[in-house]
Amino acid sequence: MLIKRKSIEQAESSRRPARKPKFAPVTLSEQDGVRYLHFGTEWVQGAMRIRKPDWPELEYAQQMMAWMLFIEQPQSIAQLGLGAATLTKFCYRQFPEATVAAVELNASVIGICASMFKLPPEDERLSVLEMDAMDFVTDPARHGAFDVLQCDLYDATARGPVLDTPEFYQACNDCLRDGGIMTVNLFGDHPSFAKNIKAMKFAFEHVICLPEVHDGNVVALCFRNRPQLDKDALAARAAQIVADTRLPAKSWVKGILAAA
């Protein structure tokens, strides 16, 4: 299935809308035991296998967890753009010692994730914030607060991430602790790709892109500090991730070493 990510936000780049943005309708479909989230089009915004609601069904979503190769026990994780709550749910279940914050501008998306995509209720570890991701990362109170950021933000026509400036990515970097990592979902065959990579490299000490998946998505890993790419250590860590989660971590190592 060709999967293109489109956000329902109407704002372009990091410009703030002068008035409350309009949102496309939130719609659902189901096929072969998988429930899909849409925003009024056929394009898939997120997916959940109904019998495995916490499993990252889409390949790019699995790659968004590649930071696990470098951070074994995160204490604080933030998701920018809720989608079908895939990554939020997985992190909440997989890391019981960590706090998880999800940031989503559209209240309807938050509601449908709770009612149709098994998003757990908020508690002392999970918070779901209805707000703009730019406001979230530029708040000084959140600087140095997270081990991991996961970013999946797109405009209404899939022209590229809504927030794509050096200033945005620098604010994301500011939110990370030393050793922190940000993963970002991009389109490899879109003009927005080069713009985002340039902005990421301005803000982060090191950026690595995993190989493009069949959907056309490319996941970038943005490191606050340049990592040590020890082949044997990464292989051992990948084997542990596979054993613990069944995520395809060995393929992540291949992609990282090939791009280094």
Side-chain angles (χ1 to χ4, degrees):
M1 179 183 295
L2 179 64
I3 298 176
K4 298 267 187 184
R5 298 286 296 174
K6 293 184 185 179
S7 171
I8 45 187
E9 300 178 29
Q10 297 295 312
E12 293 183 8
S13 208
S14 60
R15 293 182 296 172
R16 311 246 182 112
R19 54 188 176 180
K20 188 172 181 177
K22 296 180 180 179
F23 298 108
V26 178
T27 55
L28 304 175
S29 66
E30 290 186 14
Q31 183 177 359
D32 299 327
V34 178
R35 180 172 296 154
Y36 296 97
L37 177 70
H38 309 267
F39 296 137
T41 73
E42 74 277 14
W43 303 115
V44 172
Q45 300 292 332
M48 179 188 74
R49 185 161 295 279
I50 296 171
R51 296 185 65 177
K52 298 174 64 177
D54 294 337
W55 173 250
E57 181 68 21
L58 303 179
E59 187 177 4
Y60 95 88
Q62 297 171 11
Q63 288 190 341
M64 290 284 284
M65 299 300 302
W67 56 263
M68 293 173 64
L69 291 167
F70 304 92
I71 303 173
E72 295 188 28
Q73 296 295 331
Q75 297 301 304
S76 187
I77 302 167
Q79 173 70 34
L80 307 180
L82 184 59
T86 299
L87 297 173
T88 300
K89 292 185 297 180
F90 185 81
C91 290
Y92 178 75
R93 304 295 191 195
Q94 187 65 33
F95 302 104
E97 301 301 318
T99 60
V100 180
V103 181
E104 172 58 52
L105 190 59
N106 187 350
S108 296
V109 172
I110 297 173
I112 206 73
C113 283
S115 62
M116 300 300 291
F117 288 94
K118 305 291 186 180
L119 178 65
E122 292 184 81
D123 58 20
E124 67 277 2
R125 289 202 304 115
L126 176 64
S127 58
V128 181
L129 306 174
E130 183 189 340
M131 66 182 300
D132 189 282
M134 190 68 173
D135 293 334
F136 181 86
V137 297
T138 54
D139 185 347
R142 296 188 175 94
H143 288 178
F146 300 99
D147 299 299
V148 177
L149 291 178
Q150 299 173 147
C151 183
D152 195 1
L153 299 166
Y154 275 79
D155 67 23
T157 56
R159 289 173 292 184
V162 171
L163 301 175
D164 59 5
T165 64
E167 293 78 14
F168 169 68
Y169 287 118
Q170 183 60 58
C172 291
N173 192 346
D174 292 340
C175 287
L176 291 173
R177 301 182 178 120
D178 285 343
I181 300 173
M182 180 181 194
T183 55
V184 186
N185 177 33
L186 301 171
F187 278 155
D189 59 352
H190 194 274
S192 64
F193 180 79
K195 177 181 180 180
N196 278 271
I197 294 297
K198 183 178 180 180
M200 291 173 187
K201 289 183 175 180
F202 170 85
F204 287 86
E205 189 166 319
H206 195 56
V207 177
I208 297 175
C209 290
L210 294 176
E212 181 175 318
V213 299
H214 69 277
D215 309 322
N217 302 79
V218 173
V219 169
L221 285 79
C222 305
F223 296 84
R224 181 173 172 85
N225 310 104
R226 182 176 290 271
Q228 296 294 323
L229 300 180
D230 183 299
K231 180 179 179 180
D232 292 337
L234 287 172
R237 176 60 185 151
Q240 187 63 54
I241 293 171
V242 173
D244 291 343
T245 69
R246 298 188 180 181
L247 288 170
K250 294 179 181 180
S251 68
W252 306 341
V253 173
K254 291 180 182 178
I256 287 170
L257 294 177

